[in-house]
Every structure is written in C-alpha cells, then in structure tokens.
Amino acid sequence: MEHDLPEDSWPMYGLPKKVRTDRAAEFRGLQFKGSCKAWGIEPLLRRKKEDGGIIERGIGKIQARAALEPGATGSDPKKQRGERDPSDYAQMSIKEAERWLAREITGRFHYERNDELGMSPSQAWQAAHSTGGELRLPPIVSNQKEFLISFLPWEMRCVTPKGVQLFKEFYYCSELIPFVGNKIKYKVHYDPRRLGRIYIEAGKDPKDPITVPYADPSKPCLPKFEVDARRRRQKEAYPNEYDRAQRVAHNTAQAADRRTSKMKTREARRKERLHQAAVQAGADIPRDHDPPPSPPKKVTVDYNRRPKVSVGGVV
C-alpha cells in the first residue's frame, strides 16, 4: 500500500450510494456533481452543522491526538505557538504525517465504538454487507485511474514543443508529439497532492488520459501547497527591485526622451519641406545634412626646379 500499512487494515471498498459533504465551493461545483452522477453517486449537501456530527466528532478526536505530537501548534498556530518555532520540535515529514493520519483512521477510528451507530464503523460495514450469514459484495470500481481522475481539478491547455505548461512548470513525454502545435486546448487534470505528473485527455479514449511527468525529471514531486510556499519564500528573499520610485523615474526619463525625439523629428521634417520648396523654385540651397563644398585647391610654384622644355620649342 501507499503508506506501508497492512493489507487488511482497510477492507472497505466499492462505490458509495450517497456522499454527504459540507457546502464548500468545490462540492457545489458542476465538476463534482457531474463526476458523482457519472458513477451513480448521489451528492448531498449538509443543510446545517448538526448534520455532520458523526464525522465532526471523529475529526475532533483525531485533532486532539495530533495536538499531542511534537511540533503541534493547535488550531491557531500564530496564537498558540508564541515565540516557539515548531520546526525545532517537529519530527515528521509530510509523508510521515500522512502515514500517521492513515494509521489513526484504519487502526483506531474504525475499531472504536460509535454511540450514534451503536457499534464501530468496521462492524457497521460488515453488518451492511451481510444478510443471513451471507456476504453481499458491493460494486467494484473497474478502472481506479479513471475514477480518481474524474474527481481531480483540471485546466485547459495547449501542447507546445516544450510540452504542457501548468503552474509555471513544463510537463512532457513522447506521447504528446502528435498533438504539438495543433492549437487545440485539452483538458489537463492535476493532483494537488502530487504535482509531479498530470493527466491530459488528448488520446483516442478520453477515459484513458495520458500520464505526463515533469519535463525535468530531477524536480521533486511535491504537493501544490509546498510548491506555492517555496515560491513565496523565494519571492520574499529576492524582492522586486523595480519599485514605485524607480518606475516613476524610469517613466519620466522615457517621456522626456520621447518629447525630445518628437521635437527633433518635427524640425527635420520642416527643414526638408523648406528645402523641397526652394528646389522647385530653382534655388540651389544646400541641405543641412549635405557636406560643405570643398575649398579651391591652392597652386604653388617651386622656383628652385628647372622648367621642362619640350624639344623644338622656344625658350
């Protein structure tokens, strides 16, 4: 499994008949509703806070146990951590924190008795799929990749010679070569948990999108929030030197040069019109840019040299 947990730690599988969510924007969008409809799932929006009491209580228990881990900052990090830097006490990476959460759900939450259900979630699962000692198997998702991608967010992108650009990164593989430069925008799905690959619906079968990795294989596969945090830190470390004062000075200097150039061009055109008018009138008026006439060549005589006399001539 992804988090190196026992194979039997999560026996639940299949498609739910209904999914109850809060009223967040991503659950009210057409994409989520359309994906649920395509898989035969009925989405139910929570009308009031009390409708989510079962899961809210479970989340509260997990949060209470998470607050006991080293480096925890509580629900309000800025207020509760004070002057203490959590990075000095934290011991888990993002992947290790996901594994901790997965173990809390699979190894504790599903085996603890729930007062609302009257049993543990694991026992409720077995009771819901067994009748008269016989086990009724739930429907199986035949294409897990298609199921996952149908719920992932997406953007419309073209395929360029460099590949597909998304979030200031390029993705490329040899399967994209037939689609380069056709100026057609394709639906590109991405997983916010792992931006190292995308899924583009550019093949013959839209249900089997092309998996495209980073064009640079040396880049780490990080979640979107980590990529955004790194860019924010880089922006803070290297602020933009072209501030407001420099922008005003730059625009002022450019405007002054523009006015000077306009005046010189206007004066040159005026002189050209005057010259053309004088030429048509018969006057020989030199242009301002014509070279000045060369002065007459001065003739000198050297009296120390004997004159040359031709034969038969008279001296």
Side-chain angles (χ1 to χ4, degrees):
M1 297 178 65
E2 181 180 355
H3 299 291
D4 298 328
L5 297 177
E7 293 292 338
D8 58 348
S9 62
W10 187 263
M12 285 64 71
Y13 67 94
L15 288 172
K17 295 180 180 179
K18 300 179 181 180
V19 174
R20 186 181 296 275
T21 64
D22 57 23
R23 304 187 69 84
E26 55 267 26
F27 299 132
R28 291 185 283 108
L30 297 177
Q31 179 190 355
F32 179 76
K33 294 180 179 179
S35 299
C36 288
K37 183 179 180 181
W39 292 98
I41 303 173
E42 181 184 358
L44 298 176
L45 293 176
R46 194 167 65 182
R47 296 180 178 273
K48 52 186 179 180
K49 187 176 181 179
E50 291 76 8
D51 292 342
I54 297 177
I55 188 61
E56 293 289 352
R57 186 175 181 182
I59 293 176
K61 290 181 178 180
I62 295 177
Q63 286 181 335
R65 288 191 288 269
L68 302 177
E69 295 295 325
T73 57
S75 59
D76 191 349
K78 293 184 179 180
K79 181 178 180 180
Q80 296 188 19
R81 75 183 180 190
E83 299 298 329
R84 185 183 67 174
D85 188 358
S87 61
D88 296 337
Y89 300 89
Q91 299 177 0
M92 290 190 235
S93 63
I94 296 296
K95 187 174 181 180
E96 291 172 343
E98 290 181 352
R99 187 167 183 262
W100 178 91
L101 178 60
R103 186 185 288 112
E104 282 290 322
I105 296 173
T106 61
R108 187 167 185 170
F109 174 78
H110 273 276
Y111 293 100
E112 286 185 337
R113 177 184 174 82
N114 186 282
D115 294 337
E116 185 71 20
L117 298 176
M119 61 187 74
S120 67
S122 178
Q123 293 170 340
W125 164 265
Q126 296 177 7
H129 294 87
S130 60
T131 304
E134 295 182 359
L135 184 63
R136 294 183 294 106
L137 299 179
I140 300 176
V141 178
S142 58
N143 192 334
Q144 298 181 9
K145 179 182 177 182
E146 179 187 358
F147 180 78
L148 171 64
I149 295 176
S150 65
F151 286 94
L152 293 179
W154 52 271
E155 300 283 347
M156 300 298 293
R157 291 291 186 274
C158 293
V159 181
T160 67
K162 293 184 178 180
V164 178
Q165 186 178 18
L166 188 67
F167 303 123
K168 301 180 181 180
E169 297 288 350
F170 280 98
Y171 298 81
Y172 184 81
C173 69
S174 58
E175 296 181 55
L176 296 180
I177 294 177
F179 312 102
V180 173
N182 56 12
K183 298 182 180 180
I184 299 177
K185 288 189 175 182
Y186 300 99
K187 184 179 290 188
V188 178
H189 295 266
Y190 64 92
D191 190 346
R193 302 171 302 170
R194 300 172 186 84
L195 289 184
R197 57 181 178 268
I198 58 175
Y199 310 93
I200 175 171
E201 297 182 5
K204 297 180 180 180
D205 186 5
K207 295 184 179 181
D208 187 19
I210 303 173
T211 303
V212 187
Y214 274 143
D216 183 1
S218 63
K219 288 183 175 295
C221 182
L222 300 174
K224 187 176 183 300
F225 75 89
E226 181 65 22
V227 174
D228 294 340
R230 288 189 176 191
R231 288 175 179 167
R232 284 195 300 268
R233 289 194 296 266
Q234 184 180 18
K235 186 176 181 180
E236 293 173 357
Y238 300 96
N240 187 8
E241 296 182 358
Y242 190 61
D243 55 8
R244 183 177 182 276
Q246 290 176 326
R247 183 166 60 253
V248 171
H250 172 79
N251 293 338
T252 302
Q254 292 285 57
D257 291 346
R258 196 179 301 113
R259 288 193 299 270
T260 302
S261 176
K262 185 177 181 180
M263 292 175 61
K264 288 182 179 180
T265 302
R266 183 183 300 173
E267 182 65 19
R269 289 175 177 173
R270 187 185 68 84
K271 291 182 178 180
E272 179 65 19
R273 290 194 298 270
L274 293 177
H275 177 78
Q276 294 296 336
V279 170
Q280 293 178 1
D284 187 10
I285 301 177
R287 300 171 183 262
D288 292 343
H289 52 77
D290 290 342
S294 57
K297 188 176 182 180
K298 186 177 180 181
V299 180
T300 58
V301 179
D302 186 2
Y303 293 98
N304 294 326
R305 297 180 60 183
R306 296 181 62 181
K308 293 182 178 180
V309 180
S310 59
V311 179
V314 180
V315 179

